[in-house]
Each structure stands twice: as C-alpha cells, then as structure tokens.
Amino acid sequence: MNNLVILIPIALVLGLLALGAFLWTLRSGQYEDLDGAAERILHDDDSKPQ
Amino acid sequence: MTDLAATGVPRDLSAADDSDALTDFIVAAPDGTFGIHLLVEGVHCGGCVRKIESALADDATVVDARVNLSTRRMTAHWSGAAAHARTIVNTVESLGFRAVPFDPDVAVSEHEKQGRELLRTMAVAGFAAGNVMLLSVSVWSGHAQDMDEATRSLMHWISALIALPAVAYAGRPFFRSALRAVAARRINMDVPITLAVVLAAGMSLMQTIDGARHAYFDSSISLLFFLLIGRYLDHRARGIVRRSAERLLALGREPAVVIGEDGRQQTVAASRIRPGMALLVATGSRFPADGVVEDGESEVDTSLITGETLPQVVMTGDTVLAGSLNIGSTLVVRAGAAGDNTVLAEIVRLVESAEQKRSRYVALADRLATAYAPAVHGLAAGTFLGWIILGGLAWQPSLLIAVAVLIVTCPCALGLAVPAVQVVASGRLMQAGILLKNATALERLAEVDTIVFDKTGTLTEGRPELLDRATIADEDLNRAASLAAASGHPLARALVRAAGEAVTPEQGVEEVAGRGLEHGETRLGSRVWCGIAGDGDDDAMELWLRSAGHEPVRFRFRDRAREDAADTIAALLGKGYAVELLSGDRAATVSAMATELGIETWQARQSPADKFSRIEALAADGRMVLFVGDGLNDAPALAAAHASMSPGSAADISQNAADVVFQGGHLGPVTMALGVASSARKLVRQNFALSLGYNMIAVPLAIAGLVTPLVAALAMSASSLTVVGNALRLGWKKP
C-alpha cells in the first residue's frame, strides 16, 4: 500500500501538468486557426532577416 | 491633407482623407506601434496565407502580420504613421484579395468566449474523469480481491478531492442553463443532468464520510465530460454559420468616393454615406449604396444580388443596388439608402432571422429528451418514496437507490445514438466531397419532401458558353475575340475563352453600354447595334459581328445546364420528391431551362425576398423544403428552407447559410446526401430502440436496488458499444 502513497500523487501531478499545458495552449490562442496551422508547416521558413 | 473640419465642411466629410475609412479601426499600442484587424475575402488555402504574409514581411515598417485561415481574418501591427494602414490594405488588395477593417470587440462576440469556456471546462472534466476512473477501477477490483476498508476509504477521499471541485467547475454551463430553465418554469435536458450530477456527487460524499462500499464520483464527472464534448462540437458548428453574416456586412463596407459640393472628390467609409450624397463609382467597383444614376451610362452586373446572367444597362434616372458591380464606364450616383437600409443589409437581416428560426429546430434526441426527463424524474422520485414507504428503508439508502436509477437512465447511449451515426454519415459524405455544416442537417434532410433549385450557377454552370463552336470559322471568332478582349461583359468574356490563346487584343476599341463594341468599321454587339434586320431570339444571348467586306456573323451563347442536371432531376422525381425552379433570371431563359430538365413548376424574376417568401409559403403548406442555390440572392432562401445545399463555387455567404456544401461540377451529391440522410435516420431510430432496450433491463434492476456502480458502468459501456457498432454499419454499405 505504500506504493500507492507515492504513485497516486505522481499520477495526479502528471495529470495536472498536462491540464496546465492544455490550458496554456488554449490561453495563447493555439486553437484559433486549426486550418491555418495545418498548412503553415508546409511553408518554407524564409522569414525576413532581422 | 488639410484639416477639412476647420474649413466648415460637414463632419461626415471631414473624415475623408484616404486612410480615414480605416481610422476608426486603427488601434494604437502603448509602445508606439499601431494595429488593425481586417476581414480578408478570397483566402482559401495556405498558399493565400503565405502570399499575404510574405508580401507584408517585405514591408519594413510592418512588425507582424498574421492571417487566420479558419476565420479569414488578419491582424497586422506596424510602427511609424497610423496612415500606413492604407498601404497595408493596398498591398493585400494588390494580391487579389479584398480586405475590410472590422472591430474585434464587436465581432469577437459572446459566442467565442463561450467556446473558450466550454473548452476549459471540458479539459478540467476530462482530467478529473480520467483520474477518478483510475481510482474507481482499483476500488471495483478491490471488491473482488479484499481491498481493506482503510485503502478503499482513502481512494474514495482522493476521488472526492478530485471530483467535487471539478464537478463544481465543469458543471457550470449545465447548472446555469438548468437554473434559467427552472426560473422560467420550464424543464430542459440540463435539469435532469444537473440533478443527477449534483445528487450523485453529494450522495457519494455522504457515502465516503460513512465509509461505505460504493461511491458514484466517476459517474458524475464522466457524464459531464461526455456531455461537454457534445456541447463543444455543437458550438463549433454554430460558429461557422454566425461568421457568414459578419462577412456579408463587410461586403457592404466598400469605401466610396464622394463628390463634395465644391466638386472635390473624397474617399469615405460606406458607413458615412448619407442619402443625397453624390457618389463616383468607377468601372470595376461595387456600388457602396443603393441609389439613382445622375450622370453616365453603363452596364451593371447584378448577378450577385438578383441572379441574372446578363448585365443590365443603366442610364440617368435608373436605380442601382448596393453590392452590384459596375462593369461599363464610370457613373455618378445620388445615394438613396445606405448602410442599414440597402438591399444588401436587407439580405443580411433575412438570413439572420431565418437562422434564428432554424436554430429553434429541435433535434430528435432533444425531442425525446423532453419526454424522457419527466419520466426519469418521476421514476427516481417514485423509487425514493417507494423504498421509504413500502420498503421501510431509511432515507439515505433510499436516496442512494434513487440516484442509481438517475444514473442508469442518464442518456449516455441516447446521447451517443445520434452523434455516432452523424460521425459515420458525415465521414462518408466527406469522401464524396459533401460537407455537412450543421449538426441537425442530416435529420432535416431526411424529412425533406420538396426540392427547390436556383438556376444560375446551381443547375447551370453559371457562365455563358459559346454554342456551335464547330460551325464558326476560326477567322471570324478570332476577329470577334480581339474586340471582345477589351470588354468585361460576360458574353465578350465567353468569346475570348472560346477563342483560346490565339487572340491579339485590338487597341482603341470603344464600348457603348448595352449595345456593343466598335473599332473603326467593325462592330461587335447586339443585333440592333450591328444594324441587322429581324427580331432577336427569345432568349437573346447572342452577339453579332459586322465588318466591311464580310457577311455578318452571329454568335449564340447559353448558360449550359450541368452535365448530370437532367439525370439528377429525373432521379429525384422518380423517388417521389416534388421539384421546383426559382430563378432571378428572365422568364424566357428560365422556362427554356425548366423544359429541358423536365421541371414543371418554375418562377422567374425572383428577388431574394421573393425566393424567401416562396420558401415560407411552401413551409406554411406543411412542405419540408430543401433549397439548393449558390448566389448571394439565394442566401435568405437557403437560411429559410428546412434544409439547404450550396455548390462549393457559391458566394461565401451562401455557403455559410447552407447546411451542406458540395464540391465538384455535378449535382449527384444532392441525391447522395438525401440517400445517406435517410439511411442515417433509420440507424438513429434503431439506436434509440437499442438504448431504450438496455434501459428497460437496467432500470428495474436499479429500482430493485441491485445496481452497484460496477453494474451501472458495465451496462452503460455495453449499450454505448452496441450503439456505436450499429452506427458503423452505415460506413460498410455500398453507396
């Protein structure tokens, strides 16, 4: 049973991390243009020189 | 630019230098940069996005520019002068796109906020459901393997810690809706959901405090998770429709050139046009407002508004409509109605009101739910009282059994029955290039008994083509095409297309509106223009070429029916559907097309409002109408019909107002969509029967107090799997 005391918190922390990551992607607007994101990967990366 | 306000020019005109149509939309950031939001028409793929973004990246003052392909909006930021906005818009327009500014605070509505809330609550519910389920599985297997009481209690407490806050957070969309319903003395599906979730969570907490064997945390939170997925998908489908009206309004926002009383020309936003202003409308631009022609003679392409194939000649005193295109020469127009009073704005209003009406359509699952909710409540209450009065139990165990009844009857399989079939059916239609845009579209398609078609662009290809190409000498065609290259008239364009690449455009060709083209001795145009005796054809799509030393040559044109139009109509009539034709075109053309395709009922010269009211009249007769159309003028009818389809070549607004959009140059998708819809309906009904069958077995057990969470979970997943398996059969059937 001692394993549980370690394993359950680990599972919960990992789950919370994933939840946090998802909420972060949501907040930073990564779901606002799903069609565009799918196409952008095909573009050559020749952004203007800084 | 001088300060016009100081010179006493009315305020409406003071905002008239070139960038002023944009000024209202420019946002200044604290770091000295400026930003603007634009709606971009004509962006269809990643390539368009790339073209715009890289063109703007070459502009040194532009800090960033990003196009959103899903919403067709773009945001740009730049440093330097605010007026640079005009350069940015010009850059985008020079690439062949139309860019119109918009205010995101108005456009980014309550709707998008709701969408984000649903996603957030869905994520939280998903996290909690997954973790609670892990713990529950251990508890269930613990029942079989002598898990000690302390461990089980620990598991329940941890479940409670995860589930209770998650239920409180993720349940809010349901709680709010249920409270509103109860406050209005109504019952909707959210009431039993709220009751089941809250009671299950509350009872489980009491059980946990008592150290009992069973808790229902997993049921309450996973129920929320699944329902939220459904809500979110539904919400997204609605969002697509909503954006259509927004884009249509943007079409009306073309900047206008106003001629001031002192004769000076100024560019202003369309919203600043007031009745009585004189407007200059150049060749190739759209009329910013309805109005009356004061000076000039030109041809106007009204196909977008009325669906007519051929442009109309307008002269001094004629009325022109906002949104139609000036293809002849420059006109001076005295503005009549502007903004909210134009025909275009009227179309938007019709679409909006029709869409509200349609959103009131209640899906089969929801209709069942209204009968189902009271039945479930009655059953649970009866169980509770029955166990206390007849069974002699204390109130806590009685309530526990009642909650088990609520959970077992919770419409999980019922909620899956429709979506599962929808997913399979829309996947199958998608492979055939048919896109379902609305969650209830399949159901409504299955109920259709009358099909109304638009003509131009729907039954036909939407552009005139030269007839009898083989009987015309190449030399004649080339001569005609070299004149025609100078004109934007659809018949002239058709000549140029037919002649192919061999055409060398003639210089110095003169165009006379409504008559034809002239170059020296050679004339190309109407019968009268070329001085040829006799009457024109009844459907008058002809051009004559007259030149010295040659016999006059006649070119006939026709907007040809789509290849499989006749077959499709025949197939639909064969299946017992009533078929009608509604067109904005002239009676002669419409009647010829109706005869060719075997359609008996047709009406010509229909305005958008006529089409709309014809659909309403059919509906009032109790007919379930499917409207198939493509033009802007069809948009209100598309939104008003019980179900609607648009070809992929249709105007944006029509595609958005339609439930179904189909690709390719054929009409076969209409028959196919109707076929798939009716088999989907059959499967949905079977699925309801299946899940009700499960309930008939599980509910008596629950009432008898024999259902533990394990049994409930097994029954739920078994019925869900059967329902999904049954839905998959739709994919196996041959088209």
Side-chain angles (χ1 to χ4, degrees):
Chain A
M1 285 306 119
N2 287 337
N3 317 345
L4 283 181
V5 179
I6 302 167
L7 286 176
I8 292 179
I10 289 181
L12 285 178
V13 167
L14 286 177
L16 275 175
L17 281 179
L19 179 64
F22 176 78
L23 292 178
W24 171 75
T25 58
L26 184 62
R27 189 175 292 261
S28 63
Q30 299 191 24
Y31 299 92
E32 271 159 29
D33 183 16
L34 296 175
D35 302 337
E39 302 265 358
R40 269 170 209 281
I41 195 169
L42 300 172
H43 296 165
D44 295 330
D45 188 19
D46 54 356
S47 52
K48 66 175 167 180
Q50 294 297 312
Chain B
M1 204 47 60
T2 48
D3 186 0
L4 292 166
T7 60
V9 175
R11 177 81 192 112
D12 281 338
L13 291 180
S14 65
D17 82 76
D18 210 31
S19 63
D20 259 271
L22 299 171
T23 316
D24 291 349
F25 299 97
I26 297 173
V27 188
D31 60 355
T33 61
F34 297 95
I36 194 165
H37 298 272
L38 300 168
L39 283 170
V40 188
E41 281 285 329
V43 177
H44 293 298
C45 64
C48 308
V49 171
R50 168 131 186 82
K51 235 199 269 175
I52 298 174
E53 287 183 358
S54 52
L56 288 174
D58 290 342
D59 183 337
T61 54
V62 173
V63 182
D64 75 79
R66 200 168 167 91
V67 179
N68 184 325
L69 183 59
S70 313
T71 55
R72 296 182 199 169
R73 292 171 183 168
M74 75 168 270
T75 316
H77 293 98
W78 68 95
S79 52
H84 194 62
R86 174 47 65 186
T87 318
I88 292 175
V89 171
N90 287 345
T91 309
V92 176
E93 298 203 326
S94 69
L95 296 169
F97 304 96
R98 277 196 58 208
V100 189
F102 77 101
D103 184 352
D105 291 339
V106 179
V108 179
S109 50
E110 209 39 34
H111 185 81
E112 285 174 36
K113 274 187 219 143
Q114 265 177 27
R116 276 199 284 273
E117 190 201 5
L118 280 175
L119 259 183
R120 272 201 310 272
T121 50
M122 199 172 86
V124 170
F127 159 77
N131 284 288
V132 171
M133 198 49 87
L134 276 181
L135 297 166
S136 295
V137 169
S138 333
V139 173
W140 295 336
S141 47
H143 288 319
Q145 292 171 9
D146 302 325
M147 176 187 277
D148 67 62
E149 227 167 273
T151 314
R152 192 178 65 219
S153 178
L154 173 71
M155 298 282 197
H156 280 167
W157 274 113
I158 299 175
S159 301
L161 275 179
I162 305 169
L164 292 177
V167 165
Y169 179 73
R172 285 181 311 164
F174 301 97
F175 302 161
R176 271 202 303 266
S177 153
L179 279 179
R180 264 202 307 272
V182 170
R185 293 165 183 250
R186 287 182 297 113
I187 281 199
N188 60 11
M189 206 47 208
D190 292 333
V191 177
I193 289 171
T194 302
L195 263 185
V197 167
V198 169
L199 278 178
M203 279 309 296
S204 304
L205 183 61
M206 288 184 56
Q207 295 282 95
T208 305
I209 294 170
D210 289 350
R213 280 170 66 83
H214 300 300
Y216 290 96
F217 293 116
D218 48 353
S219 305
S220 65
I221 188 70
S222 45
L223 187 64
L224 275 183
F225 180 46
F226 290 126
L227 292 169
L228 281 169
I229 294 177
R231 288 284 152 102
Y232 179 66
L233 292 178
D234 187 57
H235 179 87
R236 272 183 64 116
R238 275 170 220 265
I240 298 169
V241 179
R242 186 176 285 258
R243 280 200 290 271
S244 66
E246 209 177 274
R247 271 217 284 276
L248 184 58
L249 270 177
L251 260 183
R253 283 196 210 119
E254 184 120 13
V257 181
V258 171
I259 307 173
E261 272 169 31
D262 53 355
R264 238 191 315 183
Q265 295 178 10
Q266 290 147 352
T267 308
V268 304
S271 57
R272 294 180 194 268
I273 298 174
R274 298 286 170 271
M277 284 184 177
L279 308 171
L280 192 72
V281 183
T283 313
S285 53
R286 291 190 185 280
F287 292 92
D290 293 355
V292 176
V293 177
E294 275 218 329
D295 189 20
E297 193 177 312
S298 175
E299 280 179 283
V300 175
D301 178 359
T302 56
S303 60
L304 202 63
I305 307 287
T306 64
E308 261 176 87
T309 334
L310 288 179
Q312 282 174 323
V313 181
V314 292
M315 282 178 252
T316 308
D318 285 342
T319 306
V320 288
L321 301 179
S324 47
L325 186 68
N326 184 6
I327 59 175
S329 50
T330 304
L331 289 176
V332 178
V333 174
R334 181 71 59 184
D340 288 346
N341 296 316
T342 60
V343 172
L344 203 60
E346 180 62 28
I347 290 181
V348 177
R349 263 199 298 279
L350 286 174
V351 168
E352 276 172 355
S353 73
E355 258 160 15
Q356 272 170 15
K357 212 176 288 172
R358 182 186 290 166
S359 66
R360 272 187 245 140
Y361 176 84
V362 187
L364 185 57
D366 294 338
R367 267 177 288 161
L368 268 183
T370 44
Y372 197 69
V376 169
H377 289 156
L379 217 56
T383 308
F384 176 60
L385 294 176
W387 274 107
I388 289 181
I389 298 164
L390 305 174
L393 277 183
W395 71 272
Q396 293 100 326
S398 306
L399 186 56
L400 198 64
I401 295 171
V403 170
V405 172
L406 268 180
I407 289 177
V408 162
T409 50
C410 234
C412 258
L414 215 60
L416 265 176
V418 180
V421 173
Q422 289 252 353
V423 167
V424 180
S426 58
R428 230 185 99 190
L429 291 173
M430 183 89 81
Q431 282 172 356
I434 305 169
L435 182 66
L436 284 181
K437 287 191 29 236
N438 191 299
T440 58
L442 267 181
E443 261 175 56
R444 284 182 281 113
L445 276 175
E447 290 171 359
V448 159
D449 55 19
T450 305
I451 303 168
V452 180
F453 284 96
D454 161 58
K455 186 181 75 71
T456 316
T458 306
L459 286 177
T460 70
E461 314 256 1
R463 55 177 198 189
E465 295 293 341
L466 181 61
L467 285 177
D468 311 323
R469 167 71 185 83
T471 64
I472 298 167
D474 281 353
E475 190 218 346
D476 290 336
L477 180 58
N478 285 343
R479 238 167 356 114
S482 61
L483 259 73
S487 168
H489 193 284
L491 295 184
R493 293 239 183 104
L495 263 186
V496 175
R497 269 200 307 276
E501 287 172 9
V503 181
T504 30
E506 209 72 64
Q507 297 301 313
V509 177
E510 284 196 32
E511 180 160 11
V512 179
R515 292 155 193 262
L517 302 158
E518 190 173 28
H519 182 253
E521 291 280 287
T522 315
R523 278 186 170 191
L524 175 72
S526 68
R527 183 181 282 265
V528 179
W529 174 244
C530 293
I532 290 144
D535 284 330
D537 240 352
D538 48 348
D539 70 72
M541 298 252 279
E542 58 173 13
L543 281 182
W544 287 81
L545 174 70
R546 199 198 65 185
S547 45
H550 291 277
E551 280 285 296
V553 188
R554 179 186 188 210
F555 300 96
R556 292 170 62 230
F557 299 87
R558 215 147 143 227
D559 184 12
R560 261 196 311 239
R562 286 183 197 261
E563 214 181 300
D564 65 342
D567 293 344
T568 304
I569 303 287
L572 292 174
L573 288 170
K575 284 189 180 160
Y577 292 108
V579 176
E580 273 189 38
L581 176 58
L582 285 187
S583 174
D585 216 340
R586 292 163 308 127
T589 326
V590 180
S591 129
M593 181 59 63
T595 319
E596 181 189 333
L597 297 178
I599 301 176
E600 281 173 13
T601 324
W602 56 268
Q603 286 178 55
R605 288 246 170 247
Q606 299 280 300
S607 69
D610 290 339
K611 290 190 179 187
F612 178 81
S613 46
R614 175 66 187 148
I615 301 285
E616 299 266 86
L618 283 170
D621 276 358
R623 308 275 280 278
M624 298 293 188
V625 181
L626 165 65
F627 187 76
V628 190
D630 75 315
L632 188 61
N633 58 323
D634 297 320
L638 284 167
H642 190 57
S644 50
M645 294 181 75
S646 269
S649 56
D652 268 3
I653 169 70
S654 301
Q655 290 193 30
N656 282 317
D659 300 313
V660 182
V661 175
F662 57 96
Q663 303 295 326
H666 294 94
L667 284 174
V670 177
T671 346
M672 176 168 181
L674 287 168
V676 169
S678 67
S679 27
R681 177 162 68 168
K682 216 186 314 170
L683 281 176
V684 164
R685 290 189 171 164
Q686 286 171 6
N687 276 348
F688 280 137
L690 278 173
S691 60
L692 286 177
Y694 267 99
N695 275 341
M696 303 231 295
I697 301 169
V699 167
L701 291 179
I703 293 177
L706 298 174
V707 170
T708 62
L710 179 59
V711 175
L714 281 180
M716 262 194 208
S717 23
S719 79
S720 304
L721 283 178
T722 328
V723 164
V724 172
N726 192 39
L728 287 176
R729 294 195 308 135
L730 184 63
W732 299 334
K733 274 202 268 176
K734 286 253 147 38

